[in-house]
Amino acid sequence: MSYSDTSALESMTNARNYNSYIFNLVKSNTKNFGKILDFGAGYGEFSKYLKSENRDIFAYEVDEEALDKLKHNNIKTVSDLNNIKVDNIVSLNVLEHIKEDKKVVKELEKILNENGRMVIFVPASMLVWTNLDVQVNHQRRYSKKGLIDLFSNTNLKIVKVHYVDFIGWITLLLSKILRLKLKFNKKQVGFYDKFIFNNFKKLDVLFKNIIGKNLLIVLEKE
């Protein structure tokens, strides 16, 4: 894992309001039963949250440093996806790092039980591509059409797809216009979380079908 990836993961632990909002949103769209796979779990913040909610959670992660963190936090991990079946798959800010994202989606589809749910959360809108995306090695930010197309030719039916974090999109757009050099650090993330996101998150109700910093897509296996 690169220094920038580590900085991003560590700084985002300081975004308590944002994390609570996103974690609740993702969890609320899973089936309320069965095993949950957190694909690309990172340091395991979301896995810890699901575990605290008494969900049967285990994590998949390839980075050794992240795996050590997961084990330290007593999160069950799996190293091979070929021999498992789950009722829910969740993945937060992972697919944008993967060059062959369509191939990964097909692999995840195989391990999902019939009528199981897949909940994917990714960055949205190339219009707000900034140095932050470069720092954490993003391959892309998704359009709504691009995200929907990613799941074409699968047996996954779209339940819902919408934007999340409108105020975050505005913040990134303004920073790009003003040519600000944003960084992942706890101070900047904490300020955004407390004074910007927490005060304007309700705007998502108005703008979730228009634009946002991220996209949420929920799918069920037919």
Side-chain angles (χ1 to χ4, degrees):
M1 185 177 291
S2 71
Y3 172 76
S4 295
D5 290 334
T6 300
S7 297
L9 286 172
E10 290 179 344
S11 62
M12 285 308 295
T13 62
N14 213 36
R16 295 181 181 88
N17 297 302
Y18 178 83
N19 287 341
S20 178
Y21 180 82
I22 301 304
F23 291 175
N24 277 312
L25 177 64
V26 173
K27 187 203 74 171
S28 68
N29 281 289
T30 63
K31 298 281 187 178
N32 60 3
F33 61 84
K35 293 182 177 181
I36 302 179
L37 173 68
D38 186 356
F39 177 77
Y43 283 179
E45 291 300 310
F46 185 50
S47 292
K48 284 194 294 182
Y49 167 77
L50 289 174
K51 187 177 178 181
S52 73
E53 295 283 309
N54 297 314
R55 300 301 300 270
D56 187 2
I57 175 73
F58 56 104
Y60 177 82
E61 179 56 63
V62 296
D63 182 80
E64 291 296 328
E65 181 182 342
L67 277 170
D68 287 342
K69 290 267 189 180
L70 289 164
K71 291 171 183 176
H72 177 75
N73 288 313
N74 296 315
I75 302 297
K76 292 182 291 185
T77 60
V78 59
S79 58
D80 185 358
L81 297 180
N82 291 319
N83 299 310
I84 63 170
K85 285 287 186 178
V86 294
D87 300 292
N88 296 278
I89 297 172
V90 295
S91 186
L92 282 69
N93 295 319
V94 176
L95 292 183
E96 68 275 9
H97 294 274
I98 300 172
K99 187 172 291 187
E100 296 185 38
D101 54 348
K102 190 175 281 287
K103 181 178 178 181
V104 169
V105 163
K106 296 291 285 185
E107 292 301 311
L108 291 177
E109 180 190 4
K110 291 177 185 177
I111 67 173
L112 191 63
N113 284 329
E114 189 175 336
N115 297 317
R117 279 241 172 141
M118 190 181 296
V119 186
I120 304 292
F121 185 78
V122 292
S125 178
M126 285 300 293
L127 184 60
V128 291
W129 179 274
T130 69
N131 61 297
L132 291 179
D133 295 286
V134 177
Q135 285 176 41
V136 294
N137 302 308
H138 284 176
Q139 297 288 323
R140 68 193 74 80
R141 300 182 73 91
Y142 289 87
S143 66
K144 185 183 281 190
K145 181 181 183 300
L147 187 59
I148 291 170
D149 287 347
L150 180 62
F151 295 93
S152 62
N153 301 317
T154 70
N155 292 316
L156 299 168
K157 177 183 69 176
I158 294 175
V159 176
K160 67 174 74 170
V161 55
H162 64 78
Y163 291 100
V164 181
D165 193 10
F166 170 74
I167 193 61
W169 184 83
I170 291 293
T171 301
L172 287 177
L173 183 62
L174 288 175
S175 73
K176 191 171 183 178
I177 292 170
L178 298 173
R179 298 185 178 180
L180 301 178
K181 292 294 182 182
L182 301 178
K183 294 181 179 180
F184 283 107
N185 63 60
K186 288 188 176 182
K187 186 175 288 187
Q188 282 190 9
V189 169
F191 179 86
Y192 171 77
D193 182 63
K194 185 176 181 180
F195 297 106
I196 300 176
F197 178 79
N198 200 42
N199 288 317
F200 295 97
K201 61 188 177 184
K202 291 182 179 178
L203 288 174
D204 278 8
V205 174
L206 298 175
F207 291 96
K208 69 178 185 177
N209 293 314
I210 302 172
I211 198 63
K213 181 173 67 64
N214 294 85
L215 275 160
L216 177 85
I217 188 166
V218 181
L219 309 108
E220 282 191 5
K221 189 170 184 178
E222 297 181 307

